[in-house]
Structure formats: structure tokens, C-alpha cells
Amino acid sequence: MTHHFTRRALLTSALSSVATVAFAEAPLTSLRPTARPDLDPKTSPLAQVTTAEIIADADLNGVVGFMLADAKTGQLLEATDADIGLPPASVTKAMTALFAIKTLGPDYSFRTRLLATGPVVDGVLQGDLILAGGGNPNFVTDELSALVKQFVDLGITKITGAFQVWGDALPYREEIDPPQLDHLGYNPSVGGLNLNFNRVHFEWRRANGRYTIAMDARSETQRPLVYTSRMRIVDRAVPIYTYARAGKIDEWTVARGALGDSGSRWLPVRNPALYAGDVFQTMARALGVPLPNPEKIAELPEADEIAAHESEDLTKMMRSMLRFSTNLTAEGAGLTATKTIVGKPFELPESAACMTRWAEQRSNVRANFADHSGLSDVSRVSAQDMVAILRDPDAIGTLRPILKDIPMTDEDRDVIVDFPARVVAKTGTLNFVSTLAGYVRTEAGGDLVFTIFAADLEARARGKAAGDEQPAGSIGWNRRAKRLQQRLLQRWSLVFQSEA
């Protein structure tokens, strides 16, 4: 079987390679269109029902808090329990996008460099070669391959010194959210030198009763094998995966009975700088330039830049993050914004606190962001405060153009053709937490801003205590919560149609 992995496919694989709603948000729509229902606000049944009836019909344990306001005037239109702080989940990424773009600028880009500590004489680099990260959270193997080619095109055939990797442009963190299970690919390490969202691709096939396995760093055109991650198949029932660090190596085991005939998934990387160096070394060797094994360094020495890669601009990166909900993108952007504000790298909790203070000062709100991605369920913000953040004119101008469209769907989750309103928003999903926040443009041209938070924190705590990747009841709960969001949005689009 041939696999083609574009940048979009790498992003999408973060959704499809895991069987949990903690990051892989269930699709809001199917691909089937459905006929436009009765959307006349005077006759439509949905326009006549109350929000209390919609909430009751959703049958959700826990708390539902929402607020709808006029985006221009701030007039409160509807609200329920809007002052209760709840986990915003990936709605946090909307806050992070605003924080990063307003702090760093919409055209900011991340620079990954190759440095040399000595001259090149007759094709020999007389010194050390350094792969130095600049915090780019979206750096992928194809881009690293282009950097390798720049290096080889310089005519260098070998180096006399060490091959070093530097990842301290941003502080290292072993996991975004430590309470999560070890094997979840959406909860990788964070650092200043990242590759493939700090995930390694594990693939297995069974033939003649035996498995062949591979750990690689695949992308659109490359599939280099990885040596800083290893996998063993073991005979046991549970747990399905175990992880241990053995020096520079991520050591994994997987239960044989869980594999089936073939399959694959992305696993997190805990040594991201060495992982990037490992892949660079493999690709350089394939082009005829042998390098020693990579070594991490904590400080950059005096060195000359010999090649570099510039990321896409921050606005494009944030649009992609808001669409695919990539956690590492959010953490990298948020940490870099904080570093710019305070003049030095801050650890993730302190950086999240910096973003919290920034939001409070701009929008006169009370919040508590524990990270930049929303992966932690410790974060708290109320629906009314999230609306206040989104209603700021700067937020509207910055976020509205890059938030994803949320199609309206019927009771069978089929897209309603020609629905008379446009919704752009950020979704958020954890087990027993479902959130949505953004903007509605009504048929009459009015602009609304909304936030819908739902959370059953007791059920979530029980699932975490049991160590369940997908706790019993979570799929149905989250599906009903998303249906609640749809019904509220459709009701609002019909009832509140005042012109801008």
C-alpha cells in the first residue's frame, strides 16, 4: 500500500490516529447534504422552543453555561449559567491565537538554523555542526529534508567535530499535560526543536504469524526510520502500551493481542531535539554525508549560520491550528509570545499565567489558563468572560477571518443546505467536556458573539481515575453536547436577525 502524506495529512492524522475524544474531536457534520428545513422564525419549531427546553432535551449531567451577545454593542441576548468557570478545552486555542498574533505580529515566522563552529575547507567542515531550533512547532520531515539538502549543496562531505542539536529556544516539557496516558500522540513533549508535532509513526503488519514493525518520521515524500524510539511486542492483555526512557531512547512496548493484522498510530516523542537530529543524520547519510550521532547541548557556542528554514507566517499557522486543533502548535506559539513579552523563556505553567494576565488586562475578565492548548482540564473560564474576550474589536478583526466554518446540521447530523447564517468558531473536546465559541453572521447581516460550555467534571474525574482512554458514556455525552450546540446556534440564527 502506498501512503501519501501532505502537511494537511500530517495534521489530520493527529485526529484520525487516536480513538479518543480527548483531542480527536468527533466530526460536527457528515458529508451528506440535506434539504433546507422550515427556517422562517415565525413558523419554525426550533425558533419557538426555549433554551431551557433545549438544555433539558440534551440530557447532559454536569453544567451547561452559555452566553449570546450582540458583537457590536455588547447587548446580552441570552445566557444560562454564564458566570460559572468551566474547562474551555480547545477553545483555549482561540485565546492563544489572539495572544500570539497580537504579541508577535501576523507575519512572524520561526527560524530553524544550521550552524557551523569552523570553516569549510575542501568539503570538510572543520568543527561542529549544530541543528538549532527556533521554536517552530509545525516543522515536519519534508522541511527538515530541505534543510539537509541545503547543507549537502554546500559541498560538505564530512565534519571533523560533533553533530549537536539545540532545543532550548523554548523550555523543555516532557508532556503538555502529565496526567494524560503516556501513549497519546496529541500529548507530546514541548521544546525549541520540534519535528512532526513531536510524534513518531508506529506501523505493524502480520504475515505468516509474525509481525514486522517500523518506527519512522514520515511526511509527504520521506519515510526515514527512527532510532531514538523503539518498540517491542509483548504477550499481555493490558496495558496496551507502556513507556520508559532509556537514556536517549524512548522505549515502548505494545500488547500483542491489541494489534490485529495490521495498523498504525502516532506515538509521542519525549526526546524531541534528539529525534530531529536522528532524522537529520539519517537523511544526510542517505545523501552521502555521514554524521556522528546527535548530542544535545544546552548553550549555543559562537558559530556561523550556513543554512536555515523559515516557517510560514504566524497567521497561516494559527489558521491551521484553529482548523486542526494541533496542541503543539498552540504551546509553541504561546510560549514564544510569552518569551517576547518577558524577554526570556518561561516554563509552560508560567507562560499560561502570562497569557491569563494579558487577557484579564485587555478584556477585564477573570480566567485561569493552565496551558495554551486547552489539553488540561484545570483551566477555567466562564462563558461570559470568553464572550468578553471575543467581543473585543481586535479579537473580531484577528480571529474571525481565521476561525473555521461550522456548518449547521439536522438531527441526523447531515449538513443543512443554504442555512441562512454563517457560523465561524473554535471547537473544544475532552471526555465529558464540549465547548464552542465564536461568531454568527445572521441572514440580515447582524453579528453575534457566543460561547457554549458544557462539562460533567465528576464523570471526567471518574474516567481519569480508572485510566480509561475513552470512558464509558463519554461518546454519547459528547455527541449530545454537540447536538445541543447545533440547536442553540440554529435557534439564535432564527430569533436574533437584527441588521448590523
Side-chain angles (χ1 to χ4, degrees), residues 163-219:
F163 174 41
Q164 300 171 330
V165 292
W166 181 72
D168 286 352
L170 297 178
Y172 171 77
R173 184 175 175 88
E174 187 173 46
E175 299 174 83
I176 296 173
D177 187 37
Q180 302 268 354
L181 299 174
D182 285 337
H183 64 276
L184 302 178
Y186 53 79
N187 187 31
S189 294
V190 181
L193 178 56
N194 309 291
L195 185 67
N196 298 332
F197 305 97
N198 291 341
R199 298 172 301 136
V200 61
H201 190 262
F202 167 47
E203 186 172 32
W204 63 91
R205 295 181 184 276
R206 182 167 60 186
N208 301 320
R210 302 187 64 181
Y211 282 103
T212 58
I213 61 176
M215 305 284 273
D216 63 57
R218 64 183 58 193
S219 60

Side-chain angles (χ1 to χ4, degrees), residues 22 87-93 96 327 330-331 371-377 379 429-430:
S90 283
V91 165
T92 302
K93 293 183 177 74
T96 299
N327 292 326
E331 303 303 348
D371 56 27
H372 299 291
S373 63
L375 189 55
S376 171
D377 61 10
S379 295
T429 308
L430 300 166

Side-chain angles (χ1 to χ4, degrees), residues 439-462:
Y439 307 96
V440 179
R441 173 66 56 82
T442 69
E443 187 174 35
D447 286 322
L448 312 175
V449 58
F450 72 91
T451 295
I452 307 168
F453 287 161
D456 185 347
L457 297 182
E458 292 183 2
R460 177 164 175 78
R462 289 194 298 270

Side-chain angles (χ1 to χ4, degrees), residues 93 140 284 298 301 306 408 447 455:
K93 293 183 177 74
V140 297
I306 59 173
M408 294 296 95
D447 286 322

Side-chain angles (χ1 to χ4, degrees), residues 89-367:
S90 283
V91 165
T92 302
K93 293 183 177 74
M95 179 70 249
T96 299
L98 180 64
F99 176 56
I101 291 174
K102 300 309 293 185
T103 300
L104 300 172
D107 299 324
Y108 180 87
S109 65
F110 295 88
R111 189 174 180 85
T112 305
R113 301 175 294 158
L114 271 184
L115 308 174
T117 61
V120 177
V121 180
D122 296 328
V124 179
L125 194 164
Q126 306 285 337
D128 300 328
L129 176 69
I130 305 168
L131 175 61
N136 184 355
N138 285 17
F139 197 47
V140 297
T141 293
D142 274 2
E143 293 165 334
L144 183 63
S145 176
L147 194 56
V148 173
K149 188 175 186 304
Q150 287 185 53
F151 169 65
V152 172
D153 286 348
L154 293 172
I156 297 172
T157 58
K158 67 177 181 179
I159 67 175
T160 62
F163 174 41
Q164 300 171 330
V165 292
W166 181 72
D168 286 352
L170 297 178
Y172 171 77
R173 184 175 175 88
E174 187 173 46
E175 299 174 83
I176 296 173
D177 187 37
Q180 302 268 354
L181 299 174
D182 285 337
H183 64 276
L184 302 178
Y186 53 79
N187 187 31
S189 294
V190 181
L193 178 56
N194 309 291
L195 185 67
N196 298 332
F197 305 97
N198 291 341
R199 298 172 301 136
V200 61
H201 190 262
F202 167 47
E203 186 172 32
W204 63 91
R205 295 181 184 276
R206 182 167 60 186
N208 301 320
R210 302 187 64 181
Y211 282 103
T212 58
I213 61 176
M215 305 284 273
D216 63 57
R218 64 183 58 193
S219 60
E220 183 177 0
T221 65
Q222 304 285 332
R223 193 181 295 190
L225 294 178
V226 171
Y227 301 97
T228 48
S229 294
R230 289 196 295 238
M231 177 67 73
R232 287 189 302 114
I233 300 175
V234 298
D235 293 317
R236 65 165 184 263
V238 292
I240 295 177
Y241 290 95
T242 69
Y243 169 79
R245 179 177 291 189
K248 299 179 180 180
I249 307 297
D250 288 337
E251 296 278 9
W252 293 94
T253 72
V254 62
R256 185 183 304 273
L259 293 180
D261 288 332
S262 64
S264 66
R265 75 173 292 159
W266 292 91
L267 294 170
V269 165
R270 303 297 181 213
N271 292 291
L274 286 174
Y275 169 55
D278 173 11
V279 176
F280 188 100
Q281 179 196 39
T282 295
M283 292 190 294
R285 182 172 59 243
L287 293 178
V289 183
L291 296 173
N293 291 335
E295 302 172 2
K296 283 198 301 186
I297 57 174
E299 300 289 339
L300 279 178
E302 291 291 329
D304 294 322
E305 180 181 302
I306 59 173
H309 173 270
E310 292 279 351
S311 74
E312 64 185 358
D313 68 58
L314 188 62
T315 299
K316 292 179 181 177
M317 188 176 288
M318 293 297 95
R319 180 183 288 112
S320 175
M321 176 195 72
L322 292 170
R323 180 178 181 184
F324 294 102
S325 210
T326 43
N327 292 326
L328 186 65
T329 309
E331 303 303 348
L335 286 163
T336 302
T338 294
K339 179 181 176 181
T340 298
I341 290 173
V342 301
K344 63 179 181 179
F346 264 24
E347 298 292 334
L348 180 53
E350 289 74 27
S351 180
C354 179
M355 185 173 78
T356 298
R357 291 191 297 272
W358 186 88
E360 290 173 343
Q361 292 167 3
R362 282 177 60 91
S363 303
N364 191 29
V365 299
R366 297 183 63 183

Side-chain angles (χ1 to χ4, degrees), residues 65-67 81-84 381-388 451-453:
F66 70 79
M67 176 177 278
D81 287 335
D83 60 341
I84 298 177
V381 63
S382 67
Q384 67 182 14
D385 283 337
M386 196 68 217
V387 164
T451 295
I452 307 168
F453 287 161

